[in-house]
Amino acid sequence: MTLYSCCLILLLFTWNTAAYGPNQRAQKKGDIILGGLFPIHFGVAAKDQDLKSRPESVECIRYNFRGFRWLQAMIFAIEEINSSPTLLPNMTLGYRIFDTCNTVSKALEATLSFVAQNKIDSLNLDEFCNCSEHIPSTIAVVGATGSGISTAVANLLGLFYIPQVSYASSSRLLSNKNQFKSFLRTIPNDEHQATAMADIIEYFRWNWVGTIAADDDYGRPGIEKFREEAEERDICIDFSELISQYSDEEEIQQVVEVIQNSTARVIVVFSSGPDLEPLIKEIVRRNITGKIWLASEAWASSSLIAMPEFFRVIGSTIGFALKAGQIPGFREFLQKVHPKKSTNNGFAKEFWEETFNCYLPDGSKNSPASTSFHKGHEEGLGAGNGTAAFRPPCTGDENITSVETPYLDYTHLRISYNVYLAVYSIAHALQDIYTCTPGKGLFTNGSCADIKKVEAWQVLKHLRHLNFTNNMGEQVDFDEFGDLVGNYSIINWHLSPEDGSVVFEEVGHYNVYAKKGERLFINENKILWSGFSKEVPFSNCSRDCLPGTRKGIIEGEPTCCFECVDCPDGEYSDETDASACDKCPEDYWSNENHTSCIPKQIEFLSWTEPFGIALTLFAVLGIFLTSFVLGVFTKFRNTPIVKATNRELSYLLLFSLLCCFSSSLFFIGEPQNWTCRLRQPAFGISFVLCISCILVKTNRVLLVFEAKIPTSLHRKWWGLNLQFLLVFLCTFVQIVICVIWLYTAPPSSYRNHELEDEIIFITCHEGSLMALGFLIGYTCLLAAICFFFAFKSRKLPENFNEAKFITFSMLIFFIVWISFIPAYASTYGKFVSAVEVIAILAASFGLLACIFFNKVYIILFKPSRNTIEEVRCSTAAHAFKVAARATLRRSNVSRKRSNSLGGSTGSTPSSSISSKSNHEDPFPLPASAERQRQQQRGCKQKVSFGSGTVTLSLSFEEPQKNAMANRNAKRRNSLEAQNSDDSLMRHRALLPLQ
């Protein structure tokens, strides 16, 4: 039974290996065997398996020169290790390398060979079977290329913990150690490449792209990672398509239609060369140009795509390439390949035939007919019609260096170096096993594996803990996911001016070790767009929004499709494609184009602006006129007019007017805290002092004229001290209001941003509007009282009768300040101060003009009226008017009584006043003589009543003859009557007060 089992297993193994045959593998014996999986062909021939006969293995087609070079890199590394005296001495590495034909089925077929051999070894059949041709187990596998193929292989090898070190599979799915336990790789994870692609698009300010991915485990995860990165950078994807080298023509046509109709110019492609080739051919056939292709490393340097006849379509390709390495002696090794010399390499014969387009006559598998079959499916490398006539026989003396193929393109060894590094990684893991010291090993109790009986899982353990320095001086160690972190070179496709071939110009690099934002470097001067242009193409859904605008969302469109909206006032954008406008700082405002912020215009009632200059000139004029009046009153202080107007109070009144005019100047200029706190109290106190003086003066005259015969008590009561005391008390109330205001809510300078957006109004914040109301209200109250007394005094003697002018001044005052309230409430900014200045000046000019201009006119231009006689004559006339009115009132009362008793109605009113009714002097004197006579003898006044005119005559002499003048006056005055004695004596008593 045991013998039967042994034979059965050998039969199975023989069938498994027979399908490949000696010439379909590269194999060499050794103490330790390494497996290899390489794409020697790009694909397999399509064959309909109708199952009418036993299914046969499909034929591989389209020779891959780069794949053969990668295989050679593995063989070169193994031979170099075997010849090394320090690395694995006394040990020989062998290999078994198979062609995957870039398909999963062929890769799994080869992998089963590795697994089957390991299972045979695990049965320990040597004691039952004499297996002289026994090959040791495969303890590690180098490969495969595509991520989809490696995924399938890794699932199978992982069941037996056979380590797999890939040199080109970059899918991020393979980093999942729960699913792919034995997978490692010497190529960076695609996650970094997808991030780098998004960084490049962001660098060139593109935001409207299309994506194409291979429909496998390489393309789908890669493009999905790119979408995630694009979303973070606000990059929109117009279309997303999946492709495969086995897609039918209709599917390819649909994808091409999408590309042709898309407005996106940048196309991101995560695919291998074979999967992308059918699509590119159709695009070339339709001559779809103007697209920028962003290539993943799997096809960025693919010989299938980088062909001169495709360049007009894909000449703007920017791609990623792995960091190139150096393999000393590899160039010479590649040149030594020969079918007769490479006895262990079953692929060398087909390589020779494909390189020189000939056939080697010996061998059934590579007969001319077979070779012709291969060539019939090879495009771009010659074709056959099924007969040997199209290929001459090979001589064997052909020079490999005379033919240009990708095989000898060793200028940038990227994948080849990764293969080289993968082999050395396994060798260093074996070296660690070879040099392991018992007690310090990685296994149970620090034990070590036996290098002569080493198993695959033991090698996998050491690979996970590997750490060595490669031939370029770089540290090599796999991370927890079995990945090596590496950098990328960024290449741009150029057309060689020498031979017209496509060359890969390095234009930048991507350093995954750098911090974010500093990883990408691009030299734009080296980039040629479409093979000749230096101008960066435009690939945006919408045109850039210029500074001063922002992106506005268009409903139903992706976020990258937008309209440009002008920034609102007060906001700006200083960059293109701003998502939002930034608000200007509080003291700044946007300029006309909304591209920056400029300081807001500062406005206040300035000294230099025309309005401020005009108000200042009016204030200075008021000060000048007031000073002039004060000077006139001071110079003519002893004249009767000045004395009659209460000289001391007039001085104080003029001083207060000076203060009123001066207080208006505090409202002009940039408001400061001290000016804000000074201007309203100065204005309020000045006006109250002014109104108080007018009030006291008017009230004093009125009370004296309405009182009975003045006594010494009256003179004492209405003395100068009391007048000043009353003025002080009235002003003190205003001072108290101001002090309380300044203590509780002091005004301050205020920068108002709310009235107008682009202007800052520097104004005074009054602190308390109630306090301002009290200040103005108290002033108006005093003015109202003053108006009342002035109105009552309107019939006093002309020289005393300031009441008429005071009444006018108070009316002006009320009109000004009543108008001020709505004007103050409705204006803003600097005009608030202007309104108050105008009100102050108008009220001050009204008081000055109404009270003083008439007197100044008399003093300066009518000196004849500025005499004591004129003043006393006016006073006496007023006395007789009052007495006559009193007499008439009494006469009327008596007549009414007589009428009621039945008396005569024809009698005329009797009076003790002698009169000349309606009689004139028969001999009138000339006017000048009459005035001289009156000045010498006194004055005559006519007092008119309803029934006639009374003429009174008074004469005055020098003050030293006052007694005699009084007695003469009494004798000449025949108008004294009993009923008017008291009134006459009261007004005569005022004369000494003047």
Side-chain angles (χ1 to χ4, degrees):
M1 183 66 185
T2 306
L3 182 61
Y4 175 76
S5 300
C6 174
C7 293
L8 179 62
I9 293 172
L10 287 175
L11 257 167
L12 287 171
F13 176 72
T14 303
W15 178 84
N16 184 51
T17 57
Y20 271 78
N23 292 327
Q24 291 184 316
R25 72 175 67 181
Q27 178 172 305
K28 182 180 181 181
K29 294 182 180 180
D31 301 322
I32 298 174
I33 301 298
L34 304 183
L37 297 173
F38 294 92
I40 308 301
H41 295 85
F42 283 115
V44 294
K47 188 175 182 181
D48 184 18
Q49 300 284 356
D50 56 6
L51 300 180
K52 292 181 179 180
S53 60
R54 184 183 182 88
E56 297 180 359
S57 178
V58 292
E59 195 74 34
C60 297
I61 59 173
R62 303 173 64 200
Y63 196 81
N64 183 3
F65 288 95
R66 294 179 70 205
F68 184 70
R69 187 180 72 217
W70 300 339
L71 178 149
Q72 288 285 80
M74 179 175 177
I75 295 175
F76 174 78
I78 290 175
E79 291 183 0
E80 193 176 62
I81 292 168
N82 288 337
S83 60
S84 173
T86 57
L87 192 59
L88 296 176
N90 304 320
M91 298 290 295
T92 302
L93 294 179
Y95 51 83
R96 297 175 65 214
I97 304 173
F98 296 95
D99 179 14
T100 65
C101 299
N102 204 38
T103 59
V104 174
S105 59
K106 286 291 184 181
L108 288 178
E109 191 176 352
T111 305
L112 284 173
S113 175
F114 302 140
V115 173
Q117 181 64 46
N118 283 26
K119 292 301 293 180
I120 292 174
D121 287 349
S122 66
L123 294 176
N124 293 320
L125 298 179
D126 290 345
E127 57 183 293
F128 303 102
C129 302
N130 184 15
C131 301
S132 59
E133 296 295 326
H134 172 64
I135 299 176
S137 301
T138 303
I139 52 93
V141 175
V142 177
T145 307
S147 296
I149 297 173
S150 287
T151 300
V153 172
N155 280 319
L156 182 57
L157 294 178
L159 294 174
F160 304 97
Y161 291 94
I162 299 174
Q164 174 189 358
V165 184
S166 174
Y167 48 84
S169 300
S170 56
S171 173
R172 63 189 182 120
L173 296 180
L174 291 168
S175 296
N176 186 350
K177 293 299 107 179
N178 293 324
Q179 184 176 358
F180 308 105
K181 302 178 180 65
S182 62
F183 181 83
L184 302 97
R185 54 186 162 190
T186 57
I187 187 173
N189 189 328
D190 270 342
E191 188 166 351
H192 300 297
Q193 186 176 189
T195 303
M197 284 181 166
D199 286 344
I200 286 180
I201 293 174
E202 186 179 34
Y203 175 86
F204 288 111
R205 304 182 65 83
W206 297 323
N207 64 12
W208 190 237
V209 301
T211 62
I212 296 175
D215 191 10
D216 55 24
D217 289 338
Y218 171 72
R220 288 192 302 269
I223 212 67
E224 182 62 32
K225 175 62 178 176
F226 171 78
R227 286 197 196 98
E228 295 173 6
E229 296 292 333
E231 186 176 354
E232 291 181 5
R233 294 163 173 80
D234 294 328
I235 299 170
C236 298
I237 297 175
D238 183 30
F239 63 86
S240 187
E241 300 292 334
L242 295 176
I243 58 172
S244 170
Q245 63 177 316
Y246 303 112
S247 299
D248 56 38
E249 186 177 350
E250 183 178 354
E251 292 174 338
I252 295 296
Q253 294 282 354
Q254 290 177 353
V255 175
V256 173
E257 288 286 342
V258 171
I259 295 172
Q260 190 170 17
N261 296 328
S262 173
T263 56
R265 294 191 62 187
V266 174
I267 301 175
V268 179
V269 182
F270 253 97
S271 174
S272 63
D275 287 326
L276 184 62
E277 185 186 19
L279 179 67
I280 296 298
K281 285 182 177 180
E282 180 61 25
I283 292 175
V284 170
R285 188 184 71 80
R286 294 196 184 192
N287 196 28
I288 301 174
T289 59
K291 301 295 183 181
I292 299 102
W293 300 84
L294 193 56
S296 64
E297 49 78 27
W299 72 275
S301 56
S302 171
S303 59
L304 287 177
I305 311 298
M307 300 178 67
E309 55 264 34
F310 296 166
F311 190 80
R312 71 179 188 275
V313 169
I314 55 175
S316 295
T317 299
I318 292 181
F320 289 87
L322 301 175
K323 186 178 178 181
Q326 300 295 329
I327 307 177
F330 185 52
R331 177 180 180 180
E332 292 75 13
F333 179 81
L334 292 177
Q335 294 174 353
K336 290 178 182 179
V337 64
H338 196 279
K340 294 181 180 179
K341 297 179 182 178
S342 305
T343 55
N344 296 322
N345 191 344
F347 302 104
K349 189 175 182 180
E350 185 179 359
F351 164 76
W352 198 265
E353 293 175 338
E354 296 295 337
T355 301
F356 298 106
N357 196 21
C358 63
Y359 71 93
L360 293 171
D362 57 341
S364 60
K365 194 67 179 175
N366 285 333
S367 65
S370 176
T371 305
S372 175
F373 177 79
H374 293 318
K375 296 306 294 180
H377 292 80
E378 182 74 32
E379 298 185 18
L381 298 176
N385 61 1
T387 65
F390 288 91
R391 281 194 174 184
C394 301
T395 63
D397 297 329
E398 291 87 356
N399 185 2
I400 192 68
T401 60
S402 64
V403 182
E404 287 190 10
T405 62
Y407 172 74
L408 291 180
D409 183 13
Y410 41 77
T411 53
H412 297 93
L413 298 177
R414 295 184 173 94
I415 301 298
S416 300
Y417 183 76
N418 284 352
V419 174
Y420 182 80
L421 190 61
V423 174
Y424 265 88
S425 297
I426 298 171
H428 278 279
L430 293 172
Q431 178 71 14
D432 291 342
I433 295 174
Y434 182 80
T435 58
C436 177
T437 303
K440 296 182 180 180
L442 300 177
F443 305 103
T444 305
N445 299 322
S447 60
C448 297
D450 186 359
I451 189 65
K452 295 182 179 181
K453 297 181 179 181
V454 65
E455 298 184 34
W457 65 272
Q458 295 172 326
V459 177
L460 177 62
K461 177 70 172 178
H462 277 271
L463 278 172
R464 290 178 178 177
H465 293 81
L466 184 66
N467 192 333
F468 73 98
T469 302
N470 63 13
N471 65 324
M472 295 179 64
E474 298 172 345
Q475 201 70 20
V476 178
D477 60 326
F478 297 100
D479 61 17
E480 56 182 328
F481 304 108
D483 300 335
L484 286 181
V485 180
N487 299 324
Y488 292 99
S489 296
I490 300 173
I491 60 175
N492 180 222
W493 288 15
H494 291 186
L495 201 61
S496 174
E498 298 174 357
D499 55 6
S501 64
V502 178
V503 294
F504 310 119
E505 180 72 22
E506 186 170 335
V507 295
H509 61 264
Y510 187 83
N511 185 2
V512 299
Y513 297 101
K515 62 182 180 180
K516 192 173 182 179
E518 298 180 359
R519 296 172 181 172
L520 179 66
F521 170 77
I522 293 180
N523 186 351
E524 292 188 51
N525 295 325
K526 290 185 175 182
I527 298 178
L528 292 178
W529 305 102
S530 300
F532 62 88
S533 176
K534 288 286 186 178
E535 182 180 356
V536 178
F538 180 83
S539 184
N540 297 65
C541 184
S542 301
R543 285 287 172 183
D544 293 345
C545 288
L546 299 176
T549 61
R550 65 170 179 84
K551 296 187 291 187
I553 297 175
I554 301 176
E555 188 174 356
E557 295 289 339
T559 56
C560 299
C561 300
F562 50 83
E563 57 183 352
C564 296
V565 181
D566 290 336
C567 291
D569 291 338
E571 297 183 8
Y572 76 101
S573 66
D574 56 359
E575 58 184 14
T576 56
D577 282 345
S579 299
C581 299
D582 298 322
K583 274 189 170 292
C584 289
E586 188 178 23
D587 292 343
Y588 288 80
W589 193 249
S590 56
N591 62 359
E592 184 178 356
N593 297 326
H594 299 279
T595 56
S596 63
C597 291
I598 57 177
K600 287 183 178 180
Q601 181 181 349
I602 305 295
E603 279 207 5
F604 52 86
L605 191 57
S606 173
W607 298 99
T608 57
E609 64 177 290
F611 198 22
I613 293 173
L615 293 177
T616 303
L617 291 177
F618 276 109
V620 172
L621 177 61
I623 294 171
F624 171 75
L625 291 177
T626 305
S627 302
F628 176 74
V629 173
L630 181 59
V632 170
F633 267 56
T634 303
K635 181 176 180 180
F636 297 95
R637 60 185 175 278
N638 294 322
T639 59
I641 288 292
V642 176
K643 290 182 178 180
T645 56
N646 200 332
R647 180 173 51 194
E648 288 76 13
L649 280 179
S650 295
Y651 292 158
L652 188 57
L653 176 59
L654 288 169
F655 171 75
S656 66
L657 285 173
L658 280 173
C659 293
C660 290
F661 283 115
S662 300
S663 67
S664 66
L665 297 176
F666 288 113
F667 292 83
I668 305 174
E670 182 176 354
Q672 305 290 338
N673 285 337
W674 68 273
T675 57
C676 290
R677 292 169 186 171
L678 183 61
R679 65 182 192 174
Q680 296 292 7
F683 141 71
I685 293 172
S686 299
F687 265 95
V688 165
L689 178 61
C690 179
I691 301 300
S692 299
C693 292
I694 298 172
L695 175 62
V696 170
K697 185 166 72 167
T698 305
N699 190 40
R700 170 185 172 275
V701 174
L702 179 63
L703 290 178
V704 169
F705 270 94
E706 290 186 351
K708 294 182 180 181
I709 299 174
T711 63
S712 60
L713 181 61
H714 284 91
R715 293 187 178 93
K716 182 178 181 182
W717 183 253
W718 287 106
L720 195 58
N721 293 334
L722 182 60
Q723 296 173 42
F724 283 124
L725 177 62
L726 290 175
V727 172
F728 171 74
L729 291 176
C730 293
T731 308
F732 182 74
V733 174
Q734 186 77 305
I735 294 173
V736 171
I737 293 173
C738 293
V739 169
I740 294 174
W741 181 9
L742 293 176
Y743 181 76
T744 57
S748 59
S749 177
Y750 172 62
R751 299 171 73 90
N752 194 329
H753 300 266
E754 300 174 358
L755 297 177
E756 291 190 19
D757 294 329
E758 66 273 19
I759 299 176
I760 299 176
F761 290 99
I762 303 181
T763 59
C764 285
H765 186 272
E766 302 300 349
S768 172
L769 289 178
M770 183 181 293
L772 180 60
F774 274 119
L775 183 140
I776 297 177
Y778 177 67
T779 306
C780 292
L781 175 63
L782 291 182
I785 297 172
C786 184
F787 177 78
F788 172 73
F789 285 122
F791 184 78
K792 286 191 66 176
S793 305
R794 68 189 182 282
K795 295 182 179 180
L796 290 181
E798 183 180 353
N799 296 79
F800 288 91
N801 194 10
E802 296 174 298
K804 178 172 62 177
F805 301 106
I806 292 174
T807 303
F808 288 146
S809 66
M810 290 300 107
L811 285 174
I812 294 173
F813 185 87
F814 281 126
I815 292 171
V816 167
W817 290 108
I818 290 173
S819 303
F820 164 77
I821 294 172
Y824 186 87
S826 61
T827 54
Y828 61 89
K830 65 181 180 180
F831 299 106
V832 174
S833 299
V835 165
E836 195 161 356
V837 172
I838 292 171
I840 293 172
L841 294 178
S844 301
F845 274 115
L847 293 173
L848 179 64
C850 291
I851 296 175
F852 291 103
F853 282 4
N854 182 53
K855 294 178 177 58
V856 172
Y857 175 77
I858 293 174
I859 293 172
L860 297 179
F861 302 105
K862 297 290 184 180
S864 60
R865 295 176 59 184
N866 188 14
T867 60
I868 191 63
E869 290 83 1
E870 192 75 19
V871 173
R872 288 176 178 175
C873 178
S874 176
T875 304
H878 178 74
F880 279 99
K881 287 179 183 180
V882 175
R885 288 193 183 97
T887 301
L888 289 177
R889 282 196 297 271
R890 291 187 182 185
S891 298
N892 289 334
V893 171
S894 298
R895 187 173 64 253
K896 288 179 182 180
R897 286 179 181 175
S898 299
N899 290 338
S900 64
L901 295 176
S904 175
T905 61
S907 60
T908 58
S910 61
S911 177
S912 60
I913 304 175
S914 61
S915 64
K916 293 180 181 181
S917 299
N918 302 321
H919 291 285
E920 295 292 338
D921 192 348
F923 303 101
L925 295 173
S928 59
E930 180 63 24
R931 283 196 301 272
Q932 183 177 2
R933 186 170 68 117
Q934 286 185 7
Q935 289 175 1
Q936 292 173 355
R937 297 181 59 194
C939 65
K940 281 187 178 181
Q941 296 287 342
K942 291 183 179 181
V943 183
S944 298
F945 299 96
S947 58
T949 302
V950 177
T951 301
L952 64 89
S953 177
L954 294 176
S955 63
F956 305 96
E957 297 179 1
E958 294 299 327
Q960 61 267 26
K961 299 178 181 179
N962 280 342
M964 183 60 69
N966 288 337
R967 286 194 296 273
N968 293 337
K970 288 178 182 180
R971 288 195 297 267
R972 289 193 303 268
N973 192 358
S974 60
L975 298 177
E976 288 186 353
Q978 184 63 38
N979 57 352
S980 61
D981 286 344
D982 293 340
S983 177
L984 181 60
M985 291 174 65
R986 177 173 65 248
H987 290 282
R988 288 174 64 196
L990 283 171
L991 296 177
L993 296 176
Q994 310 312 315

